[in-house]
Amino acid sequence: MTAGKSMLTHIDFSRNAISTGESTFISDFLESNPILEFLRLWRNRFVDEDANLFAKALKRNTNLKFLDLDENDLTDAGWDMLHKAEFDPTSLNSASDSNHTCHVSCHSKFNEGPDDSYHSVAVRQKKIYSLLSLRNRKWSNVQYFDDIPVELLPDMLSSIQQYSEYHCGENAPEQDDEDTNAFSIVFEVMRRWDESISVYEALSNC
C-alpha cells in the first residue's frame, strides 16, 4: 500500500482483526496525502493511540473523504481526537486549519458523509460561522480577537457574509437551528473592528 505512488481510491480492510502494534504505516500513508478517498477499517482492533495518529494524519490529508473506524476498540477519548481533527473549536485559526474533507464514520457533524457534495471551502466557512455563532450567544467573540491581526478581519467578515442564510450554496452545509443571525455577528465584529482600527491608527502615528 505504501510502496511507490499509490493510485488506489478505495481500500477496504474491514473485519480483519487488524491491530497496528504501535506501527505507523497506515497513518504515515494517510499523512502522505495519497489520492485515496475511501478507507474502511471497521471491526478491527484499532485503539486510541491509533486514533491519535490518524487524527494527526488528517491534519495533512486533503483527499480522503471517508474513514470508517466503527466497531474498533476506541474509547470516547479516541473519538474526541478524531472529531477535533475534523473541527477544532479552540480558536478561529484552529477551526480554519481543521480537516474539511474527511468524514469519520457516522460521528461527523460538518463533513457530512461519503456521498456528499460539500465543497471544502464551504465546510470551512460553516465551521468558522458556527464558532462565531456559539460565542456570539454570550457576546464573547471580542475577547478572542486580540490574537487575530486587524488585517484579517475583512476576510472573517467575508466568510460570515458568504455563509449567511442568504448566500448558502448547493454545495454548502445547511445552517443549524443554533446558529445566530449573521447580522448579530457582524455587529459584534464591527464594534471590535472599530476599536482595533483606532488603536492601529494611533500606533501608526507614533
Side-chain angles (χ1 to χ4, degrees):
M1 183 172 70
T2 59
K5 189 70 173 180
S6 174
M7 300 303 293
L8 297 173
T9 58
H10 291 65
I11 294 178
D12 190 344
F13 286 154
S14 301
R15 297 179 294 183
N16 280 293
I18 297 173
S19 61
T20 61
E22 299 184 358
S23 170
T24 62
F25 75 97
I26 297 179
S27 57
D28 288 345
F29 175 67
L30 292 178
E31 191 169 347
S32 70
N33 203 24
I35 64 171
L36 182 69
E37 296 182 352
F38 295 83
L39 179 57
R40 302 181 186 278
L41 300 173
W42 68 281
R43 196 173 292 180
N44 282 292
R45 295 178 178 173
F46 296 109
V47 295
D48 289 347
E49 288 77 6
D50 300 308
N52 183 41
L53 292 172
F54 293 152
K56 291 179 179 178
L58 288 177
K59 291 294 185 72
R60 295 181 176 273
N61 189 297
T62 58
N63 291 319
L64 193 67
K65 295 181 179 179
F66 185 58
L67 175 60
D68 189 349
L69 286 167
D70 278 337
E71 297 188 43
N72 278 278
D73 296 328
L74 273 62
T75 67
D76 288 343
W79 285 116
D80 286 344
M81 287 184 279
L82 290 164
H83 294 164
K84 201 167 186 178
E86 288 185 304
F87 178 35
D88 184 351
T90 305
S91 68
L92 290 174
N93 286 332
S94 65
S96 177
D97 291 339
S98 300
N99 181 295
H100 306 303
T101 57
C102 184
H103 166 85
V104 181
S105 299
C106 58
H107 296 268
S108 174
K109 176 180 179 181
F110 293 104
N111 307 353
E112 283 293 340
D115 299 320
D116 69 79
S117 58
Y118 292 165
H119 194 283
S120 59
V121 173
V123 174
R124 172 180 173 273
Q125 291 174 349
K126 169 59 178 172
K127 292 172 183 176
I128 292 174
Y129 190 85
S130 293
L131 182 54
L132 290 170
S133 292
L134 177 65
R135 293 173 175 176
N136 178 257
R137 287 200 291 274
K138 296 181 179 180
W139 207 252
S140 64
N141 273 308
V142 293
Q143 73 186 54
Y144 296 97
F145 287 173
D146 289 339
D147 296 330
I148 302 176
V150 173
E151 293 82 1
L152 292 182
L153 288 176
D155 292 331
M156 187 169 60
L157 289 172
S158 176
S159 178
I160 296 170
Q161 188 269 342
Q162 290 181 42
Y163 208 86
S164 71
E165 59 184 322
Y166 303 107
H167 298 85
C168 282
E170 294 180 355
N171 296 327
E174 296 180 359
Q175 286 206 43
D176 299 319
D177 292 337
E178 61 264 29
D179 284 343
T180 57
N181 187 282
F183 180 77
S184 178
I185 300 174
V186 170
F187 180 78
E188 182 185 14
V189 172
M190 288 298 294
R191 187 181 71 165
R192 172 61 175 178
W193 192 11
D194 287 340
E195 295 173 359
S196 298
I197 288 179
S198 297
V199 174
Y200 182 75
E201 290 177 344
L203 292 174
S204 299
N205 292 328
C206 290

